[in-house]
Amino acid sequence: MKKWYTSSGNNSDVVMSTRIRLARNLHEYPFPARLDQKGETQVCEKVRDALFGGNSHMKDEFAYIKMDSLSETEAVALAEKHLISPEFASERAGRALILNKDESVSIMLCEEDHVRIQVMAPGLDMEGAYETADKIDTLLDSALGFAFDENLGYLTQCPTNLGTGMRASVMLHLPALTACGQIGKLASTVSKLGLTIRGSYGEGSETKGDFYQLSNQVTLGISEKAAMDNLKSITMQLVERERNLRKEMIGSAQIQDKIFRAYGVLKYSRVLSSAEFMELISLVRLGACEKLLDISQENISEVISAAQPASLILAKGENAETQQRDISRAELVRTKLG
């Protein structure tokens, strides 16, 4: 089945994807930090039964995965695709994942909270992603009862998620703003508006290839709609600024040379590190979006996903050393971009 990240959506030249994540906890159990393994198992099973019980279409569409049944490489590969958090991948005992076939919906069980509902969509599609997340949220809440306070809203293990329990985010490709040195100023500006901009894997992650995650920080005293409207408004302002700067940049012979050189290296290299790949594919994506290169955004997104370290190891079926992975990455990229 075609995965969600191999599709493009609205404003996808700048906005690669949209994510809505809801943090929820069952009212009858302690937060995960105070939950023993027996309790974790019970929470996972209750959520599974609530989602699948009497819903045959759900059983057909979703898979229930015990995280300790996965190898470390398999779990990290899921994190590389943004389907789970890196923390969820590193500590798998007592945890479970519910994942649909096109990987647009993933539900982490017993991560920082009992339930983390995550919905991904290509391009800018906050309303569509939220609608799907809200349907799952409503179904589970009616069956299980989530911890909720009339004054505080949804109760979460981390106080920063109190209220809506919602984190809305967009994945942005900002090569022009980065090249012009505006990311630092941008980070300062959006923080005053209740948003934060980070590396593509969220808090504490490094920026790779001019890809960034912009998300809401405020969850208390604000509605889901207000939070999404604010994020969408700022996102569209960034889209306009990025596009205007790209128009100025793309006419430069030096910039065009960098783009075509990057394409040449990717197309003909025999050894390719992860860091070098991300730097070069960012330039190639810029060239593709500006019609300098005849490559689809969908193809580039598929290459980015497949070229990550753990995903490469799984594809090869062996725990390759770094040098062998770099050789395999170059082979993969040559094949996909050839």
Side-chain angles (χ1 to χ4, degrees):
M1 171 180 281
K2 185 177 182 180
K3 307 301 183 184
W4 75 267
Y5 47 82
T6 60
S7 302
S8 60
N10 295 328
N11 302 291
S12 59
D13 57 324
V14 179
V15 187
M16 297 181 69
S17 63
T18 301
R19 182 187 73 175
I20 296 293
R21 193 194 72 197
L22 303 177
R24 300 289 188 258
N25 288 280
L26 277 62
H27 68 85
E28 60 183 302
Y29 288 90
F31 289 136
R34 298 178 61 85
L35 198 61
D36 58 23
Q37 192 165 350
K38 180 180 179 182
E40 289 175 340
T41 300
Q42 290 176 351
V43 167
C44 290
E45 291 177 349
K46 278 181 175 289
V47 176
R48 179 198 62 193
D49 294 345
L51 191 65
F52 295 159
N55 295 297
S56 58
H57 68 285
M58 289 287 195
K59 293 178 183 177
D60 294 336
E61 183 64 23
F62 287 84
Y64 178 82
I65 304 165
K66 291 184 177 181
M67 289 302 295
D68 57 11
S69 71
L70 302 180
S71 67
E72 181 180 358
T73 301
E74 289 171 326
V76 172
L78 292 173
E80 289 175 348
K81 295 177 182 178
H82 303 278
L83 303 176
I84 62 174
S85 65
E87 294 77 16
F88 196 69
S90 62
E91 297 181 20
R92 302 187 297 282
R95 295 174 163 181
L97 174 69
I98 297 175
L99 183 66
N100 73 339
K101 290 182 179 179
D102 74 353
E103 300 181 352
S104 62
V105 179
S106 58
I107 305 173
M108 291 179 284
L109 304 182
C110 292
E111 195 223 29
E112 183 175 79
D113 294 285
H114 293 150
V115 181
R116 285 282 178 98
I117 302 166
Q118 178 176 280
V119 178
M120 307 281 286
L124 183 59
D125 185 15
M126 227 156 284
E127 294 81 7
Y130 179 77
E131 182 181 359
T132 300
D134 186 52
K135 286 179 180 177
I136 296 172
D137 181 36
T138 300
L139 188 157
L140 292 178
D141 190 20
S142 63
L144 303 171
F146 289 141
F148 185 85
D149 180 88
E150 288 187 4
N151 296 315
L152 296 175
Y154 288 102
L155 303 180
T156 56
Q157 181 163 287
C158 181
T160 59
N161 291 321
L162 278 171
T164 63
M166 184 191 78
R167 295 287 181 180
S169 64
V170 288
M171 190 72 70
L172 303 172
H173 184 214
L174 304 175
L177 282 164
T178 303
C180 294
Q182 295 191 25
I183 298 299
K185 181 180 179 181
L186 174 62
S188 176
T189 300
V190 300
S191 69
K192 299 172 184 175
L193 301 171
L195 305 177
T196 183
I197 188 165
R198 297 165 169 155
S200 57
Y201 286 94
E203 186 174 359
S205 65
E206 296 180 2
T207 302
K208 297 181 179 180
D210 307 327
F211 299 107
Y212 301 88
Q213 185 185 101
L214 179 69
S215 61
N216 69 299
Q217 280 188 303
V218 181
T219 59
L220 187 62
I222 187 173
S223 69
E224 289 92 341
K225 184 179 186 306
M228 291 190 294
D229 286 347
N230 183 44
L231 176 59
K232 187 174 181 179
S233 174
I234 301 303
T235 297
M236 288 310 301
Q237 292 179 46
L238 293 180
V239 168
E240 184 177 1
R241 288 173 62 182
E242 173 69 20
R243 284 173 177 166
N244 288 337
L245 285 172
R246 287 185 186 186
K247 289 178 183 177
E248 296 176 14
M249 288 175 55
I250 211 68
S252 164
Q254 288 80 8
I255 296 298
Q256 291 183 20
D257 183 64
K258 287 182 70 174
I259 290 171
F260 281 102
R261 282 176 182 266
Y263 179 56
V265 173
L266 290 179
K267 193 172 180 180
Y268 295 105
S269 66
R270 287 327 191 239
V271 180
L272 194 59
S273 71
S274 180
E276 184 183 19
F277 165 73
M278 292 302 292
E279 179 182 347
L280 296 174
I281 201 67
S282 176
L283 286 165
V284 168
R285 191 177 193 278
L286 172 61
C289 291
E290 296 303 311
K291 310 302 181 185
L292 286 179
L293 298 172
D294 185 20
I295 308 172
S296 71
Q297 293 176 33
E298 294 90 341
N299 192 14
I300 292 173
S301 295
E302 186 177 356
V303 172
I304 291 174
S305 176
Q308 301 308 309
S311 299
L312 275 174
I313 292 173
L314 287 181
K316 284 290 181 180
E318 56 189 22
N319 192 7
E321 298 294 332
T322 301
Q323 184 176 8
Q324 183 56 50
R325 286 205 307 270
D326 292 349
I327 293 172
S328 297
R329 181 178 294 107
E331 180 183 2
L332 168 77
V333 173
R334 289 199 311 272
T335 301
K336 296 289 186 180
L337 298 184

